[in-house]
Amino acid sequence: MGERDNSLPDSNGVHGEVLIILPREEWKRLRRLDVERIIRENIEKVEETLMAEYEEFLLKKKAKLEKKLEELEKDLERLRRFYEKALQERELMMRERDRLRKENKELIEKLKLKRSRG
């Protein structure tokens, strides 16, 4: 038996070799056939099958990516709403801070006036 090639596929996702393991009787039967002719006659069907499987794989991957994109868009929308709310609350806090400064200033002036009279 040949050694198994466990290397990574090339950029096209293809290994350089294919290892087929057959029972002894099947091998004897195949040796009597013209395997090369059979392969040549069926290569188009094999290519079509592989292309269909690859297309199915890509469609599944696309569906997963679209679902992930949808989730990310929902997360982004939640973050936008949170940010807008934070900006509104910041504005509210700034107004309240200014109101309290003004009130504090008035109270300090009243206290100074009261101390100067008394």
Side-chain angles (χ1 to χ4, degrees):
M1 282 193 193
E3 289 185 28
R4 199 172 269 181
D5 180 12
N6 291 328
S7 65
L8 295 174
D10 65 14
S11 62
N12 294 322
V14 177
H15 285 281
E17 300 176 5
V18 175
L19 175 65
I20 301 172
I21 300 174
L22 299 170
R24 186 176 309 277
E25 296 305 315
E26 185 70 15
W27 171 247
K28 287 179 182 178
R29 187 182 70 75
L30 286 175
R31 284 179 56 186
R32 289 181 288 239
L33 299 176
D34 184 0
V35 176
E36 190 175 327
R37 180 185 55 80
I38 294 170
I39 290 173
R40 266 187 270 114
E41 289 173 357
N42 292 295
I43 193 75
E44 278 187 40
K45 292 176 189 173
V46 171
E47 286 175 345
E48 287 176 19
T49 301
L50 290 174
M51 289 302 291
E53 288 177 0
Y54 186 61
E55 183 178 353
E56 184 178 331
F57 165 78
L58 290 177
L59 289 172
K60 286 179 183 177
K61 190 170 187 173
K62 179 185 173 197
K64 287 179 185 177
L65 289 172
E66 286 172 342
K67 183 178 179 183
K68 183 68 175 176
L69 176 62
E70 191 175 302
E71 291 172 5
L72 289 173
E73 286 173 340
K74 286 178 184 177
D75 289 345
L76 182 59
E77 184 57 34
R78 280 194 292 269
L79 285 172
R80 281 187 185 128
R81 287 194 307 266
F82 175 80
Y83 179 71
E84 288 171 8
K85 185 177 179 185
L87 286 178
Q88 291 171 354
E89 289 177 358
R90 180 180 182 268
E91 187 62 34
L92 176 72
M93 296 301 291
M94 297 294 280
R95 285 194 306 268
E96 184 64 16
R97 183 186 69 181
D98 290 342
R99 186 190 67 76
L100 289 172
R101 278 185 182 163
K102 184 178 178 183
E103 183 180 320
N104 192 37
K105 184 178 178 182
E106 290 171 1
L107 290 173
I108 288 173
E109 287 176 10
K110 284 181 184 179
L111 183 62
K112 284 180 182 178
L113 183 62
K114 189 176 181 182
R115 284 184 182 169
S116 66
R117 288 187 186 165

